[in-house]
Amino acid sequence: MIKLKIHHKTTYRFHQPVSLWPHRLMLRPRESRDLRLISSNVAITPTATVTWAQDVFGNAVATASFKTVADHLVIDSVAELELDAVAWPVFAIAASAISYPFRYSDDDWADLGGLAALQYPDPPQRLSQWVRAFVRSSPTDTLALLKDVGAGVAESIRYQSREDEGTQSPAQTLDRGWGSCRDFAVLFAEAARTLGFGARIVSGYLYNPEQDRLGSTGAGSTHAWAEVYVPGAGWITFDPTNRSVGSFNLIPVAVARDIRQAMPVAGSFVGMTDAFAGMSVEVVVSS
């Protein structure tokens, strides 16, 4: 077990005062059997009224509302937690799902809903043809297949950090041959859905004290990965950026059907068209 502190600071700067509309914040780590949250605090400048709620996925969502104009906005989040995920987990997959293809129960299929539906168009079947090449026999080992797809993403796509907003579609990532961690996560999740699995995107942080993993600057940073639902084992974590399985050194904040639903900070303002001066994000993950 390791005790970690996450400091995530987002700063927006404007050339002149603007009216800030409500901002949606997803910065509180998700508690689980592997993660115990000790404390979580968010400080906002200018002063804001903050309300908390849970979204449809059970994520903690804060909404910050402002009453004054301002020429800057600072959202400063500090969380302390204990992480107890093992490096090489063993998954108790149900006998009915050990081999692929398998059939989800009617209840599982109904509850997975949109998490099993494709989120991006694939008219030339670019993704379908790519991922079905990993199904080498029928039946085949389910976990081995998912591991092969994760490794295949890392082998086919060159990692490249992107500061701009948005995410590439799976077809764009395959055609371009490069992408960021969020592009890797979306490609893997959509590939799993193409094979009939329920999958979700995870947004959070990567703790990287050895600085040997992709998607991190220094000892830690924001990161994105995916989870696939397998009966018996439940949600299994796959980080295709680093070819890893399991949640070791990963701190989840939000799970979602689409990565756009898991943005750490989202909001808008009203002002002159040239009012926006820039933004910066600082993330420090330390033990």
Side-chain angles (χ1 to χ4, degrees):
M1 179 182 294
I2 54 175
K3 186 175 181 179
L4 299 177
K5 179 179 180 180
I6 302 170
H7 187 188
H8 186 160
K9 183 177 181 180
T10 304
T11 303
Y12 294 90
R13 301 179 304 281
F14 305 94
H15 292 298
Q16 60 266 338
V18 300
S19 296
L20 297 167
W21 283 23
H23 277 59
R24 183 174 184 267
L25 315 177
M26 302 182 79
L27 298 166
R28 181 186 175 93
R30 285 175 62 96
E31 294 189 82
S32 67
R33 182 178 61 82
D34 296 329
L35 189 155
R36 186 176 77 87
L37 188 62
I38 299 172
S39 64
S40 177
N41 296 287
V42 180
I44 302 175
T45 305
T47 302
T49 299
V50 179
T51 57
W52 288 88
Q54 283 187 313
D55 66 8
V56 69
F57 303 106
N59 302 311
V61 181
T63 300
S65 302
F66 306 87
K67 294 182 178 180
T68 60
V69 297
D71 62 3
H72 67 283
L73 170 60
V74 180
I75 301 168
D76 201 353
S77 169
V78 178
E80 294 186 355
L81 55 94
E82 289 180 342
L83 192 63
D84 193 25
V86 298
W88 306 103
V90 176
F91 303 104
I93 297 175
S96 61
I98 288 177
S99 297
Y100 173 89
F102 64 87
R103 185 180 183 277
Y104 286 117
S105 69
D106 290 344
D107 284 341
D108 282 349
W109 187 251
D111 292 335
L112 286 169
L115 296 176
L118 295 178
Q119 305 299 306
Y120 296 84
D122 189 29
Q125 296 194 324
R126 177 75 171 90
L127 176 61
S128 178
Q129 292 177 8
W130 179 81
V131 70
R132 292 199 179 279
F134 294 97
V135 184
R136 310 188 194 284
S137 63
S138 183
T140 189
D141 183 88
T142 299
L143 186 58
L145 170 61
L146 291 169
K147 287 180 178 180
D148 286 347
V149 174
V153 171
E155 291 172 359
S156 303
I157 310 302
R158 174 172 53 86
Y159 174 78
Q160 182 173 315
S161 177
R162 289 194 297 113
E163 299 299 329
D164 53 312
E165 295 183 3
T167 305
Q168 299 174 169
S169 71
Q172 286 176 320
T173 300
L174 288 172
D175 290 340
R176 293 173 179 175
W178 58 269
S180 67
C181 63
R182 59 186 184 271
D183 302 317
F184 279 56
V186 167
L187 172 58
F188 175 84
E190 198 75 344
R193 290 166 179 157
T194 299
L195 293 175
F197 291 95
R200 62 189 186 182
I201 303 294
V202 189
S203 175
Y205 303 96
L206 168 64
Y207 178 52
N208 186 24
E210 305 299 328
Q211 301 186 30
D212 58 351
R213 297 200 172 197
L214 296 174
S216 174
T217 54
S221 63
T222 56
H223 196 52
W225 57 97
E227 293 177 344
V228 176
Y229 186 77
V230 179
W235 289 103
I236 300 180
T237 298
F238 292 88
D239 179 5
T241 305
N242 292 292
R243 306 189 188 194
S244 65
V245 180
S247 56
F248 184 69
N249 282 9
L250 295 173
I251 303 104
V253 170
V255 300
R257 170 179 50 81
D258 189 286
I259 197 166
R260 291 169 294 186
Q261 299 171 303
M263 295 175 62
V265 178
S268 57
F269 67 92
V270 177
M272 300 296 291
T273 55
D274 61 347
F276 184 66
M279 71 167 291
S280 61
V281 179
E282 304 169 54
V283 177
V284 178
V285 183
S286 56
S287 60

